[in-house]
Amino acid sequence: MTDTTYGDYLRLDRILAAQEPRSDAHDELLFIVIHQASELWMKLCLHELEGARRCLREDNLDPAFKMMARVSRVQHQLIQSWEVLSTMTPADYTRVRPHLGSSSGFQSAQYRLIEYIMGNKNPKMTAVHEGREPDHARLTAAEREPSLYDEALRVLARRGLAIPDDRLKRDFTQPYEASDEVEAAWLAIYRDPETYWDLYELAEKLVDLQYHFQLWRFGHLKTVERVIGYKAGTGGTPGVPYLEQVVAKTFFPELLTVRTAL
């Protein structure tokens, strides 16, 4: 067996050479490292979410719970990264911004893939990546895949809970729409957790994912607000107003409304 060093195994030569500031601004390295590290964390999130979805499809819930819990912890790391980036002042950012061109986090294919597996499908977001393969191909394929929540509802149906067919067999390229019948199924679980303990845990793991994802979005919003105010984003988005709309979006609507019904 060859003698593999720490640096060899982690390919540190490639990773640590990937930061190439385009200005003499001191804070540009911070800006690059935060975003590159975030992309690595998102790669892990996708790995875990795809694994969790596969386990739900196979009725193998315990490993799915572990994977989903791990994603929630990774999301905590992503949330904390905004705290570090927010040490960049408006004056610091104005020295970096001219060198960003039209690049924007809005163009992150991995972020969009996470949203798709969580259920927020949007063909317009896929179109942003036209001409950039393999990102466009991955997003196009992800549009057609059942989301994590779709697979969770199939688990409920296989356990005998009344999930309507129009939620089990639907056009997965479209965003999920709330259903009174689905809420009633979750309500039965929440009212009798001892009988449905693993399904109750599934519900809470999904809520935890949604909670941390929204905190991540909110951290992004407040960091952008703090650093650039209400200027337009580099990718042509409206900036803070766009992020405010995004923060309000949820993935698993019945898991929130069921709390009111209890």
Side-chain angles (χ1 to χ4, degrees):
M1 188 171 69
T2 59
D3 183 22
T4 302
T5 68
Y6 175 80
D8 292 339
Y9 178 72
L10 296 178
R11 303 303 300 268
L12 292 182
D13 55 337
R14 296 175 65 181
I15 293 172
L16 298 180
Q19 297 76 47
E20 300 180 357
R22 299 187 175 191
S23 73
D24 61 358
H26 177 82
D27 281 21
E28 189 175 0
L29 183 61
L30 164 70
F31 191 84
I32 293 171
V33 168
I34 288 291
H35 287 86
Q36 287 182 342
S38 294
E39 289 291 334
L40 287 172
W41 283 124
M42 284 191 279
K43 182 175 183 176
L44 179 58
C45 283
L46 282 168
H47 175 70
E48 301 296 339
L49 289 170
E50 288 167 356
R53 179 174 59 184
R54 184 169 56 251
C55 286
L56 293 183
R57 194 173 290 151
E58 298 167 355
D59 284 313
N60 194 10
L61 268 59
D62 286 345
F65 295 158
K66 178 182 178 181
M67 295 168 188
M68 292 162 70
R70 180 174 290 161
V71 172
S72 293
R73 299 302 173 268
V74 173
Q75 287 172 319
H76 184 72
Q77 294 292 325
L78 287 163
I79 292 162
Q80 290 301 309
S81 71
W82 297 124
E83 294 289 326
V84 181
L85 188 59
S86 69
T87 63
M88 174 181 275
T89 68
D92 297 326
Y93 182 68
T94 55
R95 296 184 62 194
V96 175
R97 182 166 179 154
H99 301 274
L100 301 179
S102 60
S103 65
S104 168
F106 183 76
Q107 299 162 344
S108 170
Q110 290 199 124
Y111 173 82
R112 202 61 60 193
L113 285 165
I114 291 172
E115 285 221 320
Y116 282 11
I117 197 170
M118 294 279 280
N120 187 22
K121 308 287 183 70
N122 187 340
K124 291 181 180 179
M125 297 298 103
T126 300
V128 169
H129 297 270
E130 286 180 356
R132 289 196 292 270
E133 301 294 344
D135 289 343
H136 186 260
R138 288 183 71 191
L139 286 161
T140 300
E143 281 184 11
R144 297 190 291 266
E145 284 282 321
S147 72
L148 192 68
Y149 194 55
D150 289 317
E151 293 296 350
L153 296 183
R154 289 175 171 182
V155 172
L156 269 59
R158 290 194 294 270
R159 295 293 185 87
L161 290 152
I163 305 298
D165 283 344
D166 65 358
R167 291 299 180 274
L168 299 173
K169 301 172 183 177
R170 65 185 192 86
D171 181 359
F172 296 118
T173 65
Q174 299 302 308
Y176 177 83
E177 294 184 3
S179 159
D180 291 341
E181 292 91 341
V182 171
E183 183 187 293
W186 286 121
L187 185 59
I189 292 166
Y190 271 87
R191 282 180 170 163
D192 190 5
E194 290 79 13
T195 298
Y196 299 108
W197 185 259
D198 57 347
L199 301 182
Y200 179 67
E201 185 173 359
L202 172 60
E204 287 299 290
K205 287 290 189 292
L206 289 168
V207 170
D208 203 37
L209 281 176
Q210 179 165 269
Y211 172 75
H212 284 93
F213 201 95
Q214 287 183 293
L215 286 181
W216 179 22
R217 287 166 160 174
F218 184 73
H220 187 191
L221 162 65
K222 300 310 288 185
T223 302
V224 170
E225 183 180 69
R226 175 173 178 164
V227 176
I228 72 169
Y230 286 81
K231 290 194 288 288
T234 49
T237 68
V240 167
Y242 167 77
L243 295 173
E244 287 174 337
Q245 294 174 13
V246 169
V247 166
K249 292 181 180 178
T250 59
F251 300 108
F252 320 128
E254 295 93 350
L255 289 176
L256 295 181
T257 59
V258 74
R259 284 153 163 75
T260 305
L262 279 171

